Structure formats: structure tokens, C-alpha cells
Amino acid sequence: MPDIDIGGGRIARRGIDLDDLSLVPSRRTRDRDLVDLGWDLDAYHLDLPLLSAPLDAVTSPATAAAISGLGGLGVLNLEGLWTRYEDPVQVLSEIATLEPGPAATARLQQLYDEPVQERLIGQRIEELAAAGIAAGSLTPQKVGRYHAAALEAGLDLLVIQGVAVTAQHVSEGDTDPLDLRDFTARYDIPVVVGGVASATSASHLMRTGAVGVLVGMGRSSVSTTSAALGIGVPRATAIAEVAAARNRYLMDSGRYVQVIASGGLRTGGDVAKAIACGADAVMVGRALAAAAEAPGAGAYWGLSAAHHELPRGRFERVDQLGTLEQLLTGPAHRDDGTVNLFGGLRRAMAVCGARSRRDLQRTELTVHG
């Protein structure tokens, strides 16, 4: 796509969002039972190309176990309510009664002022491990402080997630600078890292040894990063550029890094288009917050909603649409694509003649307008 001169010779890139795209059916279709959704994340085989977003409104130890049972991977926020409170159920129940607005943001800030306890990090990881793969998330600023407790407890997979993650994070105070290359070389644990929105940033992260890269920045329905910081890249463009960087890195190194689309994926069509743009899997938040089992109980808030200085996430209400099983694999009772996400992906692949996700990545796309 040609760049745009926005005035005075200042050049901006043109971006395309998923809403602007459609898949084009091929000349050959196939039965949906002949479609394979499975994928491998390092040594772990998953039946669904799904990670749950590490948000307190979405993932608890119980929902992580349920998602694992359905074929996906639940990721727990190791800096969230489950590691700040011995029993966060009462806190979550209070949050579920809040109404969107400044008062809700202020209350979230108060509740998240409770310090993270390393003992609870270990306890939650043991709970996750008892039910499946123990996957947890830390922000780049806190990896240095909390990774030892997590690894000692038996963490299987670490997700390092922030608004924008780079190969080296420099901070002040009592935490050590995060050098991802050094971290992945020192510890025998697969690391998924993000978010990124450009091929350059993704390429640097791939060279650190990360097994997966999260693509998405400021595109979630509850993210206000674009308003607060002016940062954000349309999802289709970001996914396609990072996927191309992944392919170049594969040719250079012989190592395949998973590209995981994250942010604003609410329907089966969104999931299908993200994979068609080059993603291997998706990380889903709001769509899972609509589950009857979701710990948010109808409330949804972003990763940075409770930041003590500059909150960058909305608090909103979410209609509960069904059980986790219904939302992920059906059957659906709604016609808007928000239920049976991976049944929608399976049918889209069948209509496009794709046997696997790799086939769908070669499907023809059209841009609206």
C-alpha cells in the first residue's frame, strides 16, 4: 500500500483493520469435519488456536482449567487480583456491581493497591498445574521481581505482555532491566511476548528466543491507549506485517515463531480474518468475559484500567451470552458470530477449502471500499 503525505512532506503508512476485510471462497470447499484447528505452541499441542487474555475479568484458575479442557490455553495474570488477595471472589463480586465511569476507575485503583504476594503466585501456579498447563502473565517491569517465584512453583509457559514490549526493557528502582535474550537463554521455559505492531519490533523479539509474539496494540474495546497515548495500529496490517517478518525469520534461522493476534477479536469472523492475515492463533478477552463462568460476572476491564497514574482501560458491562463451551465450540443460539467462535472458524476454513490454518493464511482477501 502506498504511504500517504499528510502534509509538509510528513509521511504516514496506510493501515487496514479486520473490519475492512473479507475472505474470498475458493473453487473448492470441504466438509468442516475435515478441517484441523490444532496447533503446537512449543512442546504443547492445543486443539484450539486460542489463548485467553490474562485479565482478571476473564481468567481465573477455574476458567483456565475449563478452557484447557475445551482445547485452548488459559493464561492467568500473575499481577492480578488472584495474587493480591487470598480469596478474591468477594473483590470480584464488588467489581461486578460497579457502573462504568470515573468512580469505577477510582475503585479499581484502590483494589489494585493491594500488593502482589509471591506466596500467592506460587499457590495459583500450583492450582493451574493441577488442571493442565500452568501459563501465567507478567508485565516487562515485573518479570525481574516475580519470575523466580513463578518458576519455582512450576510455571510451564510465561507470557510477557504490555502495551508495547521490546527486546530490552530498562527501568529504575528495585527491578532489574529485562533483557529477553538473556532471560530465554537462562531459563528453560517457553516465553510468549507482546504486544507489537510492527515487523521491526517483532523481528527483534523473535531473535530473543521467544516462541510466540502477540500482535495488537490499543485495539481492544476497553483499551484507551489510543486516546491516552496516541498509539495504535490497524489489526490486519499489523498481523500481516508481523507474519511476513516471521516468515523471513524462519528462512534465516530455521525456527518458526508463532504469531498470536490479540485485541478486539469478538466474533468467529474476526478470528478467521486474523488467521487469514497470517496469525497462527488468537488471544481473546472480551468474548470470553461474556461467559457464564467468567470471574468478572458481567464486568470487563482492561489490563491498565487500574494504573495508579494514567489508567488506559475502560470499565464496561458485558452481556453474558452462554457457557464457555458454547462461546468457544457451540452450539450457538445467536446469529451475530459472538457464540461458537471456533465453529465459525472451522466453517470459514471449510468454505475457503482450507484444511489447516496454514491453508487459510493463503486464502484470497478483499478490502471493502
Side-chain angles (χ1 to χ4, degrees):
M1 294 179 292
D3 292 337
I4 302 171
D5 186 335
I6 63 172
R10 185 71 166 97
I11 301 299
R13 295 163 47 206
R14 184 186 298 274
I16 300 294
D17 211 340
L18 293 177
D19 293 339
D20 302 319
L21 293 180
S22 292
L23 309 181
V24 178
S26 69
R27 63 180 180 85
R28 174 184 297 166
T29 58
R30 64 175 61 240
D31 191 278
R32 62 182 183 274
D33 293 333
L34 300 178
V35 168
D36 180 16
L37 299 184
W39 71 305
D40 295 314
L41 181 57
D42 197 60
Y44 303 106
H45 179 78
L46 301 170
D47 292 331
L48 296 180
L50 165 72
L51 283 73
S52 73
L55 302 175
D56 287 329
V58 175
T59 309
S60 67
T63 57
I67 291 167
S68 176
L70 293 168
L73 179 62
V75 183
L76 185 71
N77 181 4
L78 298 181
E79 300 173 47
L81 297 175
W82 288 92
T83 59
R84 296 172 188 264
Y85 295 88
E86 188 78 40
D87 182 5
V89 172
Q90 184 175 349
V91 176
L92 288 163
S93 297
E94 178 190 345
I95 293 174
T97 67
L98 299 177
E99 292 298 327
T105 297
R107 184 56 180 148
L108 286 174
Q109 289 174 317
Q110 293 172 348
L111 293 171
Y112 280 86
D113 272 344
E114 189 74 15
V116 172
Q117 301 180 47
E118 292 190 12
R119 176 183 61 82
L120 288 178
I121 290 178
Q123 181 178 321
R124 301 313 180 199
I125 290 171
E126 290 173 1
E127 293 172 14
L128 294 171
I133 303 169
S137 170
L138 290 170
T139 57
Q141 299 91 332
K142 301 299 183 182
V143 171
R145 180 183 297 183
Y146 297 128
H147 75 274
L151 294 175
E152 184 177 348
L155 187 69
D156 292 316
L157 183 142
L158 176 63
V159 176
I160 301 176
Q161 187 175 23
V163 172
V165 178
T166 53
Q168 185 175 62
H169 177 81
V170 179
S171 62
E172 295 182 359
D174 59 355
T175 58
D176 295 327
L178 172 63
D179 187 320
L180 272 174
R181 186 188 297 274
D182 177 69
F183 184 91
T184 56
R186 192 188 320 168
Y187 300 106
D188 186 22
I189 182 173
V191 175
V192 173
V193 61
V196 299
S198 72
T200 300
S201 295
S203 296
H204 285 295
L205 292 177
M206 292 173 190
R207 289 195 288 270
T208 67
V211 301
V213 175
L214 294 167
V215 184
M217 191 178 293
R219 310 305 295 185
S220 166
S221 65
V222 291
S223 173
T224 57
T225 297
S226 180
L229 304 182
I231 295 173
V233 177
R235 293 168 296 175
T237 295
I239 295 167
E241 291 189 352
V242 172
R246 182 263 321 281
N247 294 340
R248 291 192 294 270
Y249 179 71
L250 174 64
M251 293 181 63
D252 293 339
S253 69
R255 195 173 73 89
Y256 191 90
V257 178
Q258 306 290 335
V259 172
I260 303 165
S262 172
L265 304 172
R266 299 178 58 175
T267 67
D270 289 339
V271 173
K273 288 187 282 187
I275 291 177
C277 287
D280 298 288
V282 295
M283 176 176 277
V284 176
R286 192 184 191 281
L288 298 185
E293 304 95 321
Y300 183 52
W301 59 99
L303 199 62
S304 302
H307 193 278
H308 64 284
E309 284 183 348
L310 186 62
R312 299 182 303 280
R314 299 184 185 91
F315 176 87
E316 65 180 27
R317 311 296 307 178
V318 177
D319 292 333
Q320 294 181 298
L321 304 179
T323 65
L324 272 172
E325 182 174 6
Q326 289 171 332
L327 294 182
L328 293 179
T329 60
H333 54 272
R334 296 172 63 93
D335 61 4
D336 58 3
T338 57
V339 178
N340 196 5
L341 300 182
F342 291 91
L345 171 62
R346 186 180 295 275
R347 189 173 290 272
M349 291 171 62
V351 171
C352 293
R355 184 186 64 83
S356 67
R357 294 167 297 103
R358 299 284 178 83
D359 294 335
L360 189 63
Q361 291 171 352
R362 295 188 285 269
T363 293
E364 184 180 354
L365 298 168
T366 60
V367 178
H368 309 159

PDB file of all heavy atoms in Angstrom, residues 52 274 352:
ATOM      1  N   SER A  52      -6.481 -17.480  26.344  1.00  0.00           N
ATOM      2  CA  SER A  52      -7.341 -16.498  26.994  1.00  0.00           C
ATOM      3  C   SER A  52      -6.507 -15.300  27.401  1.00  0.00           C
ATOM      4  O   SER A  52      -5.323 -15.422  27.744  1.00  0.00           O
ATOM      5  CB  SER A  52      -8.028 -17.100  28.223  1.00  0.00           C
ATOM      6  OG  SER A  52      -7.112 -17.275  29.293  1.00  0.00           O
ATOM      7  N   ALA A 274      -8.246 -12.828  11.186  1.00  0.00           N
ATOM      8  CA  ALA A 274      -6.928 -12.672  11.805  1.00  0.00           C
ATOM      9  C   ALA A 274      -5.984 -13.770  11.346  1.00  0.00           C
ATOM     10  O   ALA A 274      -4.818 -13.519  11.024  1.00  0.00           O
ATOM     11  CB  ALA A 274      -7.064 -12.684  13.325  1.00  0.00           C
ATOM     12  N   CYS A 352     -13.649 -21.934   2.483  1.00  0.00           N
ATOM     13  CA  CYS A 352     -12.487 -21.487   1.705  1.00  0.00           C
ATOM     14  C   CYS A 352     -11.608 -22.647   1.253  1.00  0.00           C
ATOM     15  O   CYS A 352     -10.544 -22.423   0.654  1.00  0.00           O
ATOM     16  CB  CYS A 352     -11.658 -20.505   2.528  1.00  0.00           C
ATOM     17  SG  CYS A 352     -12.501 -18.930   2.838  1.00  0.00           S
TER      18      CYS A 352
END
